[in-house]
């Protein structure tokens, strides 16, 4: 009995110690996130007003008292980001979903093995490398920075996320559903289109939202392809503004008004990405098990 009591106390102490280490590690991991969010909110909240969302760029004006103000807003960046990321999503959706369907339905195919490997490599590629490739293949050949070139670069970043998410979600669809469709005489392409994809659609959409959130905050590819614009523009074959570009540009200026806009833009981007991720978490928690998003995004 003494030995059993001693072992129980030892196991209890080890359990408490491991729980304490786990909690401590979690707190340490959360500290940088809390500090970054707090600082961005502290610096950027003052920039959020009606003019911030409704005005485009305006040159800084030096007043009689020597203070610099009137830097306008970021309407041109908001419109540009929506256009660039929206077009990138339109290009990446069919490629990513169809590739994911192929990988899930024909997992043992030699081509699928190569595609899966290339997708994993592409998902780990630095965004600046994608930007350089888009610059060499599109910008240099057309002799023009353009929103379309930026959309192509962002689409390349979106495709592996959508592909791997679609593949893993389709694998979670019960095989009995495929067998039921097959028993009714449906060919493989028809059962995939009418049974498998609708069943996994909520999970696929969560992957699409995560790809959208990642592309929205990318700066490096846009620096090499879009360049930026101080005016509201909707022309795809010309330079265009974007929120990440404005954050980068306004941070490096000597004008306090533009520095404030940079922090406000950073806050908007942070809130957008945070909202999308929280929405994905909430959506996946409210679905059945086979519609939950697997942890394949690293």
């Amino acid at each position: 009995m003494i030995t059993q009591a001693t072992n129980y106390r030892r196991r209890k102490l080890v359990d408490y110690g491991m729980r304490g280490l786990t909690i401590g590690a979690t707190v340490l991991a959360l500290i940088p996130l809390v500090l970054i969010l707090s600082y961005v909110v502290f610096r950027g909240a003052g920039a959020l007003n009606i003019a911030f969302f409704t005005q485009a760029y305006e040159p800084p004006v030096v007043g009689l008292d020597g203070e610099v103000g009137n830097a306008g807003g970021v309407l041109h960046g908001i419109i540009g980001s929506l256009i660039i990321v929206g077009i990138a999503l339109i290009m990446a959706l069919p490629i990513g979903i169809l590739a994911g369907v192929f990988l899930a339905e024909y997992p043992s195919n030699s081509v699928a093995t190569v595609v899966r490997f290339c997708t994993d490599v592409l998902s780990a590629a630095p965004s600046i490398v994608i930007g350089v490739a888009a610059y060499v293949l599109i910008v240099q050949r057309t002799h023009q920075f353009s929103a379309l070139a930026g959309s192509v670069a962002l689409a390349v970043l979106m495709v592996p996320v959508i592909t791997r998410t679609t593949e893993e979600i389709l694998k979670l669809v019960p095989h009995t559903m495929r067998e039921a469709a097959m028993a009714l005489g449906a060919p493989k392409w028809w059962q995939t289109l009418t049974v498998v994809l609708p069943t996994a659609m909520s999970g696929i959409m969560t992957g699409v939202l995560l790809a959208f959130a990642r592309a929205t905050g990318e700066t490096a590819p846009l620096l090499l392809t879009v360049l930026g614009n101080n005016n509201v523009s909707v022309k795809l074959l010309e330079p265009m503004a974007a929120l990440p570009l404005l954050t980068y540009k306004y941070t490096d200026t000597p004008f306090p008004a533009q520095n404030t806009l940079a922090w406000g833009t950073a806050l908007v981007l942070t809130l957008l990405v945070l909202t999308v991720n929280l929405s994905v978490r909430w959506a996946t928690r409210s679905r059945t098990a086979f519609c939950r998003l697997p942890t394949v995004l690293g």
Side-chain angles (χ1 to χ4, degrees):
M1 293 298 295
I2 297 177
T3 303
Q4 292 179 356
T6 303
N7 289 336
Y8 175 75
R9 286 194 296 270
R10 182 179 60 82
R11 291 196 301 268
K12 198 170 183 179
L13 289 175
V14 172
D15 178 65
Y16 287 153
M18 295 307 297
R19 289 189 183 186
L21 291 176
T22 303
I23 295 174
T26 303
V27 172
L28 288 177
L30 290 177
I31 287 177
L33 176 62
V34 173
L35 290 177
I36 291 174
L37 289 177
S38 301
Y39 192 71
V40 171
V41 172
F42 173 75
R43 293 294 302 270
L48 302 185
N49 49 44
I50 297 178
F52 181 87
F53 296 100
T54 59
Q55 295 182 7
Y57 171 81
E58 293 183 8
V61 177
V62 180
L64 297 177
D65 53 358
E67 293 186 1
V68 180
N70 192 25
V74 296
L75 177 63
H76 54 313
I78 295 174
I79 295 176
S81 288
L82 292 177
I83 293 175
I84 294 171
V85 179
I87 294 176
L89 191 60
I90 292 174
M91 290 189 289
L93 267 179
I95 300 174
I97 292 179
L98 291 177
V101 170
F102 175 73
L103 295 180
E105 298 300 319
Y106 302 95
S108 301
N109 190 292
S110 58
V111 177
T113 302
V114 175
V115 172
R116 188 178 296 107
F117 174 77
C118 294
T119 301
D120 292 338
V121 172
L122 187 60
S123 63
S127 60
I128 186 66
V129 175
I130 306 299
V132 171
Y135 174 80
V136 173
L137 296 177
I138 301 177
V139 176
Q140 283 191 342
R141 294 177 182 272
T142 60
H143 306 286
Q144 178 68 49
F145 291 95
S146 64
L148 185 60
S151 296
V152 172
L154 294 184
V156 174
L157 294 174
M158 289 182 176
V159 165
V161 178
I162 299 175
T163 299
R164 295 295 283 149
T165 301
T166 301
E167 178 191 4
E168 296 301 325
I169 288 296
L170 292 181
K171 287 181 180 179
L172 295 179
V173 176
H175 192 66
T176 53
M177 301 187 68
R178 294 180 172 87
E179 293 176 344
M182 190 181 302
L184 294 175
K188 190 176 184 63
W189 70 269
W190 183 253
Q191 70 182 10
T192 301
L193 181 64
T194 60
V195 176
V196 179
L197 281 177
T199 303
M201 187 55 63
S202 61
I204 294 174
M205 290 308 300
T206 57
V208 172
L209 290 176
L210 289 176
F212 172 82
R214 180 192 176 185
T216 302
E218 287 292 344
T219 306
L222 301 184
L223 285 172
L224 297 170
T225 55
V226 178
L227 187 63
N229 195 332
N230 288 331
N231 302 311
V232 176
S233 175
V234 295
K235 297 180 179 179
L236 299 181
L237 300 181
E238 294 182 1
M240 186 178 294
L243 290 177
L245 291 178
L246 295 183
T247 302
Y248 173 81
K249 177 181 177 181
Y250 289 163
T251 302
D252 198 33
T253 64
F255 304 110
Q258 291 187 342
N259 297 152
T260 302
L261 285 181
W263 284 107
T265 307
L267 176 59
V268 171
L269 285 173
T270 302
L271 293 178
L272 177 61
V273 174
L274 184 62
T275 301
V276 171
N277 280 276
L278 291 178
S279 300
V280 168
R281 296 292 182 181
W282 178 83
T284 53
R285 285 173 60 90
S286 61
R287 302 297 179 180
T288 54
F290 58 85
C291 289
R292 295 182 185 275
L293 182 65
T295 55
V296 299
L297 305 179

